Amino acid sequence: MLDKIIKEYNEAIYDTDRDRALMVVHQAVEQGVSPEDVVFKVVLPALDLMVKAISENMDANLAQHFMTAQIADTVTAEMIAKFKKVPAVVGTVVIGTAQGDMHSLGKRIVIGCLKARMIDVTDLGVNVTPEHFVDEAVGRKAQVIGISAMMVHTARGENGSLAVRRLLQERGLEDKIRIIVGGAPFRFDDGLYRTVQADAWASDGVTASKVVADLVKEVRQ
Ligand code: B12
C-alpha cells in the first residue's frame, strides 16, 4: 500500500498539485498509514528525489522544486501534531537574505526543507542587517544563522556573513552560534563560504537540513 501512496504523492508534487498531494496523505492516514510513515517514508524521500531531479538531470523545474518544499512543510506540520511521540526539535535557526538582497525564493525552499526535518526556523525576510541576524539569533536562542545571498556583491560584501562573523566575535558568541550561507554565488565557488568566514554552506534545502543538524550538534557539544 505504501508504494502506491509514494507513487501518487510523487505524481501530485511533480504536477505541483498541492490539493491532490494533501488528499493522498489524508487518505493514507485514514487507511491506517501512521503519520510517522507519511513524513519519513513519503514526504522526506520525495524532497530528496526532487533535489536529485534538479541537480542531476534537470528533469524538474523551479515551480516543482518550490511546491515540493512548501507541501512538505505543510504536511509535516500537520503530521507531527498526530505523532504518537512528538519528536524533539533538532535545533533552532534564524534565516534571512543578506542586506541589499531581495531574492527570496531559494530561502523559502530552504525553510520548507528545514521545517520538514523538525528544525525550528524563523524567517527574518529579505534585506536583513547583520545586527538583526545576531539580535534575533540571541533572542530566539538559535544555534544557527542562515544567510541567503543571490548576488556576488551581497555574498562577498561587507554587510553579509563577514559582518555577522565580526558581531559574533565582538559579542563573544562564536561558540554558541554557527553561520551557514547559501545562494547561487556559493554554488559557483564552493570555497567562497570560507572567504566570507561562514562555518558551512549548502547547495540546496535538503543538504542544508543535514548540514544544519550537524552544526547544531557541534554547538551543543
Ligand atoms: C528570480 C530572480 C529575481 C527576482 C527575485 C524574486 C524573489 N522573490 O526572489 C527579481 C526579479 C525580483 C530579481 C531582482 C534582481 N535580480 Co535577480 N535573479 C533571479 C533569478 C532569475 C533566479 C533566482 C532564484 O530564485 N533561483 C531559484 C532558487 C530556488 O535558487 P537559489 O536562490 O539558488 O536557492 C537554492 C540554493 O542556492 C540554496 N540556498 C538559497 N539560499 C540559501 C540560504 C542558505 C542558508 C542555504 C544553506 C542554502 C540556500 O537552496 C535553494 C534551494 O535549492 C537569478 C538567476 C539565477 N539563475 O540564479 C537572478 C539573479 C540572481 N539576479 C540578478 C540581479 C542582478 C538582479 C537585480 C539587481 C536586477 C536589477 N537590475 O534590478 C535585482 C536585484 C534586486 C535586489 N536588490 O536584490 C543576478 C545577480 C548577478 C550577480 N552575479 O550578482 C542574477 C544571477 C541574474 C543574472 N544572471 O544576472 N531577481
Side-chain angles (χ1 to χ4, degrees), residues 42-202:
V42 181
V43 176
L44 296 182
L47 262 178
D48 278 331
L49 213 62
M50 180 58 73
V51 169
K52 220 166 167 228
I54 290 267
S55 54
E56 286 180 12
N57 51 22
M58 297 310 284
D59 182 25
N61 60 36
L62 175 58
Q64 289 168 316
H65 190 185
F66 186 73
M67 282 310 289
T68 303
Q70 302 309 307
I71 294 168
D73 176 14
T74 307
V75 174
T76 309
E78 202 184 302
M79 292 298 131
I80 288 173
K82 297 184 173 129
F83 274 18
K84 285 202 184 72
K85 187 169 169 269
V86 177
V89 170
V90 171
T92 303
V93 177
V94 295
I95 187 168
T97 307
Q99 189 168 18
D101 201 322
M102 302 297 177
H103 294 87
S104 61
L105 298 180
K107 169 175 65 72
R108 284 190 60 189
I109 292 177
V110 173
I111 290 171
C113 295
L114 295 181
K115 286 186 175 170
R117 300 263 177 183
M118 328 299 172
I119 295 167
D120 176 39
V121 197
T122 300
D123 184 2
L124 303 180
V126 295
N127 193 22
V128 180
T129 63
E131 290 76 14
H132 193 53
F133 272 118
V134 176
D135 290 346
E136 286 289 328
V138 171
R140 294 174 190 279
K141 296 192 168 50
Q143 296 88 15
V144 180
I145 292 175
I147 306 173
S148 182
M150 283 300 295
M151 295 185 288
V152 171
H153 70 277
T154 53
R156 286 186 166 271
E158 287 297 315
N159 293 327
S161 175
L162 283 170
V164 172
R165 168 64 63 204
R166 209 161 40 243
L167 287 175
L168 293 182
Q169 280 165 352
E170 284 167 14
R171 298 188 194 176
L173 293 167
E174 280 192 292
D175 57 344
K176 294 193 177 70
I177 300 173
R178 295 283 188 266
I179 304 172
I180 182 169
V181 288
F186 299 101
R187 285 200 269 125
F188 291 118
D189 174 359
D190 64 9
L192 180 58
Y193 83 95
R194 289 184 204 277
T195 312
V196 301
Q197 298 180 9
D199 296 293
W201 82 287

